[in-house]
């Protein structure tokens, strides 16, 4: 893409989004409240963690994801569920067999 001054401008890649997460289930398993998780990870900002839990924030940074998974004591792959087109197509191929 070229802007008005004939400079090349990089096109932004679309942001990858999380499919869902297991934060609420893990909180129940380990007996931790949402507020306790917010206190550990975001200095008490329970609104932000609530939006992540309920899927209103599906595009979070990797450091945020690591903070949450570390606070829950689980690997990041167990906390967040990410599906991309390649993964979805591969799963469909496996289902057809």
């Amino acid at each position: 893409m070229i802007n008005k001054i004939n400079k090349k401008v990089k096109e932004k890649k679309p942001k990858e989004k999380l499919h869902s997460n297991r934060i609420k289930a893990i909180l129940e398993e380990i007996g931790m409240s949402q507020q306790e998780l917010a206190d550990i990870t975001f200095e008490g900002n329970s609104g932000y963690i609530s939006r992540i839990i309920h899927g209103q924030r599906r595009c979070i940074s990797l450091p945020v994801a690591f903070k949450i998974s570390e606070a829950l004591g689980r690997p990041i792959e167990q906390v967040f569920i990410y599906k991309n087109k390649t993964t979805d197509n591969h799963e469909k191929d496996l289902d057809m067999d």
Side-chain angles (χ1 to χ4, degrees):
M1 178 172 17
I2 299 177
N3 66 9
K4 293 179 183 179
I5 309 174
N6 294 330
K7 290 184 180 180
K8 286 188 176 183
V9 177
K10 275 190 174 180
E11 291 186 37
K12 291 185 178 182
K13 293 180 183 178
K15 292 184 177 181
E16 299 290 336
K17 296 184 178 181
L18 294 170
H19 181 265
S20 61
N21 65 67
R22 296 190 58 246
I23 298 172
K24 192 172 186 175
I26 294 170
L27 287 173
E28 289 175 10
E29 286 175 21
I30 63 175
M32 182 186 285
S33 73
Q34 187 174 314
Q35 183 61 55
E36 289 171 318
L37 178 61
D39 291 341
I40 294 168
T41 55
F42 303 111
E43 298 167 0
N45 188 349
S46 60
Y48 185 66
I49 195 72
S50 176
R51 288 190 297 277
I52 294 171
I53 290 171
H54 294 98
Q56 296 168 342
R57 297 275 325 202
R58 289 196 172 177
C59 188
I60 62 172
S61 70
L62 193 54
V64 167
F66 274 116
K67 272 186 181 181
I68 293 169
S69 64
E70 190 175 284
L72 295 173
R74 303 288 172 92
I76 200 166
E77 301 86 15
Q78 288 182 6
V79 178
F80 297 98
I81 299 145
Y82 169 77
K83 290 187 179 180
N84 62 21
K85 291 177 184 175
T86 307
T87 305
D88 290 343
N89 289 338
H90 181 66
E91 287 175 359
K92 287 177 185 174
D93 291 342
L94 293 176
D95 290 340
M96 296 174 97
D97 291 338

